[in-house]
Amino acid sequence: MSEGKGYRGPKGTYDVYPGGREPHERPELWAFVESVARERFRRYNYQEMRLPVFEEAQLFIRSVGEASDIVRKEMFLFQDKAGRELALRPEGTAGAVRAYVEHNLFKQAQPLKLWYYGPMFRHERQQKGRYRQHTQLGVEVLGSSDPLVDVEVISLLYDLHQAIGVREEVVYLNNLGDMETRRAYVPELRAFLEENRSELDPDSVARLDANPLRTFDSKDPNTQSLLDEAPTIGEFLSEEASAHLGTVREGLETLGVPYEIDERLVRGLDYYTMTVFEAKSAALGAQDTVGAGGRYNGLISTLGGPDLGGIGFGTGVERILLAAASRDAAASTRAFFVTLTPEARMLAFGLAAALRAEGVSCDLDYADRSAKGQFKQADRVGADFAVILGEDELQDGVCKLRDMKSGEERTVSVSDGGKDLLRAVAN
RNA sequence: GUGAUCGUAGCUCAGUUGGCAGAGCAUCGGGUUGUGGUCCCGAAGGUCGCGGGUUCGAGCCCCGUCGGUCACCCCA
């Protein structure tokens, strides 16, 4: 299949199609998620934004961070014909903030509460819940540093997941502090790690200089047990950061969002400050983060805007569907036309058009099926009614209307362009 | 990028010491010259991922390659 004949989707991608096996391959589940998400965003008063799927590569390098894995090894990079360095977006925040600054949206009433939805691209080896093209629902609240905004964003994430049916979800919360906190904490952590350098795994040693906070991401057991002894950021939080965290916790408790403080929670994107959070589901595999985000109080000014705060989350739709209890959506069509003679097909087609024009879903056979086959198809598409047109019916200007559930049939006139049929089929 | 494992019909999978490529489900038709969801019968559907090699002979053994899955790394 890989050579000569037959194409496959690119490595690390998947298709959504009728009969798809995995939850994220089933169109009806996507439609469900999309409708729930839109409804939640409406309730919380978020407005939609639509952004390009590629941007100048430099935008991501500056915002996500040169040292981050996303920038260092996971971006799809390409040049356009004029030689511009572009990248398929690996995440949504950079583009949203770029648009916010570019269109002077900070001049509107603040904060601006935004949501977006679309594909993200990362050049990674795929595994359960991880694809090279995946889809994120995201929100950004720009122009406020109010801790209650943090509460709203986190609770919206949780609410959204619960409305869709994510199982065994826990939100992990941490505060990475402001610059003051980091200036005090990072040297202490680095000193501790240097002292114990010989006990660290190679990846952690490599991270020591660039970003010692990331050592906490290590899954190496030795490193993890060593980190039990490490100084924690909680001891170093500035008064402001500490108060901020306190308000966020109080807010989450007020709203009943289940969360746990995890002082080892750091994030792989460099723009985060203060509040960071990850929603995990035990129903997933090793990639158990179903949604995550945090505050980025320096990002707007870094990208050329005013010194305003922002916070957002991204949540992966594929992982939501994987973590949610699977559901079955029954097919549903109001009426299926069964034609028993070729002469009836054009009449059926006209009647179908008349019903469709009035909002009634209906269909007919395009596969030259036998009568039996057409009834079988009617059953398969979940038709409530079969509209039967044979020689006798044509002669009398009627159809037989069969209730597929009860099997009862009655005769309905079709000589009036379908008005009687519409009445009989409508509910 | 690293490792393990798997690629046979649309789907789920059998396939013996290397010897004519199979089943169930799904599809189409027939049993019911015009009636589905149960049942019975039948048909159609494959370059056994791809390319080399060994052999009289390869789905099976060897090498390579592409892809899936899972894990590491990292993240949604």
Side-chain angles (χ1 to χ4, degrees):
Chain A
M1 291 288 264
S2 60
E3 301 244 344
K5 58 169 239 184
Y7 290 99
R8 284 192 284 215
K11 191 177 176 69
T13 64
Y14 62 90
D15 297 316
V16 180
Y17 55 95
R21 277 292 183 277
E22 300 297 323
H24 60 269
E25 292 174 333
R26 293 167 52 187
E28 72 277 12
L29 294 182
W30 282 85
F32 169 65
V33 168
E34 286 159 16
S35 68
V36 170
R38 278 182 183 278
E39 172 56 19
R40 295 292 136 158
F41 295 144
R42 185 194 65 76
R43 289 188 199 178
Y44 286 72
N45 194 30
Y46 284 62
Q47 293 180 282
E48 183 175 6
M49 76 195 313
R50 299 193 185 204
L51 300 161
V53 296
F54 61 91
E55 299 269 2
E56 284 182 52
Q58 201 58 39
L59 174 69
F60 300 115
I61 296 170
R62 239 179 243 147
S63 57
V64 176
E66 214 148 359
S68 69
D69 284 42
I70 290 177
V71 164
R72 270 185 23 243
K73 44 187 212 192
E74 294 172 6
M75 282 212 290
F76 279 93
L77 293 162
F78 64 100
Q79 286 190 347
D80 71 6
K81 290 183 179 178
R84 298 180 187 90
E85 294 288 342
L86 302 170
L88 295 181
R89 63 180 181 195
E91 57 99 48
T93 300
V97 173
R98 188 224 84 219
Y100 176 78
V101 173
E102 179 175 342
H103 303 294
N104 298 314
L105 301 186
F106 48 82
K107 301 211 167 160
Q108 299 185 14
Q110 302 296 298
L112 211 52
K113 308 207 294 184
L114 305 164
W115 70 272
Y116 58 82
Y117 172 63
M120 306 296 165
F121 305 85
R122 293 182 198 171
H123 196 277
E124 302 178 281
R125 190 80 164 263
Q126 69 273 38
Q127 78 180 275
K128 189 180 180 71
R130 192 171 76 180
Y131 298 91
R132 290 187 171 184
Q133 174 175 337
H134 74 278
T135 307
Q136 284 188 27
L137 282 159
V139 310
E140 311 291 345
V141 180
L142 299 165
S144 170
S145 297
D146 187 336
L148 288 186
V149 169
D150 304 27
V151 176
E152 178 176 289
V153 166
I154 295 169
S155 69
L156 170 54
L157 177 65
Y158 183 74
D159 187 11
L160 177 61
H161 287 163
Q162 290 304 302
I164 297 166
V166 170
R167 293 168 293 170
E168 301 176 67
E169 179 177 12
V170 178
V171 177
Y172 294 91
L173 177 71
N174 196 15
N175 189 307
L176 296 178
D178 49 22
M179 287 310 161
E180 191 189 332
T181 308
R182 301 260 196 114
R183 267 197 292 273
Y185 174 64
V186 170
E188 292 283 334
L189 178 63
R190 181 177 283 135
F192 171 83
L193 294 173
E194 286 287 1
E195 264 173 50
N196 299 282
R197 194 182 190 110
S198 57
E199 294 176 50
L200 292 174
D201 62 284
D203 284 322
S204 296
V205 172
R207 282 196 286 241
L208 221 167
D209 292 320
N211 191 349
L213 285 176
R214 297 275 307 289
T215 311
F216 287 113
D217 278 338
S218 174
K219 282 179 187 167
D220 182 80
N222 285 331
T223 301
Q224 278 298 332
S225 63
L226 174 65
L227 286 170
D228 287 338
E229 314 295 322
T232 62
I233 200 163
E235 307 160 19
F236 288 81
L237 286 184
S238 67
E239 220 167 283
E240 191 200 338
S242 199
H244 191 99
L245 177 60
T247 305
V248 172
R249 297 186 63 163
E250 191 186 343
L252 292 177
E253 278 150 29
T254 299
L255 298 186
V257 175
Y259 75 96
E260 284 177 25
I261 293 289
D262 179 2
E263 291 200 297
R264 294 185 179 189
L265 175 61
V266 296
R267 309 273 307 133
L269 293 81
D270 289 355
Y271 51 62
Y272 287 121
T273 59
M274 304 289 274
T275 303
V276 290
F277 54 93
E278 274 188 30
K280 296 191 177 198
S281 166
L284 291 175
Q287 307 300 315
D288 58 355
T289 300
V290 57
R295 182 163 276 288
Y296 41 85
N297 286 346
L299 184 58
I300 294 171
S301 58
T302 297
L303 296 183
D307 184 18
L308 293 171
I311 182 170
F313 71 66
T315 181
V317 176
E318 296 82 0
R319 289 189 188 174
I320 290 176
L321 291 174
L322 239 34
S326 71
R327 51 176 63 228
D328 286 308
S332 167
T333 306
R334 191 63 178 162
F336 191 90
F337 287 84
V338 173
T339 54
L340 303 170
T341 167
E343 291 74 44
R345 295 197 77 222
M346 200 54 82
L347 173 61
F349 203 76
L351 289 169
L355 293 188
R356 288 166 175 171
E358 294 301 321
V360 175
S361 68
C362 54
D363 210 345
L364 54 154
D365 175 55
Y366 295 112
D368 196 26
R369 285 188 179 84
S370 67
K372 178 176 175 171
Q374 290 185 60
F375 279 102
K376 206 170 171 184
Q377 180 66 6
D379 186 51
R380 248 190 311 244
V381 301
D384 298 317
F385 295 101
V387 182
I388 304 157
L389 293 162
E391 277 178 59
D392 300 346
E393 288 81 6
L394 273 189
Q395 248 169 34
D396 301 344
V398 299
C399 68
K400 278 227 181 77
L401 188 63
R402 177 184 179 88
D403 183 314
M404 291 296 282
K405 274 242 166 55
S406 66
E408 283 170 33
E409 285 182 16
R410 64 191 178 107
T411 301
V412 176
S413 163
V414 293
S415 53
D416 57 356
K419 287 198 181 67
D420 282 345
L421 181 60
L422 178 65
R423 252 193 307 281
V425 145
N427 228 348

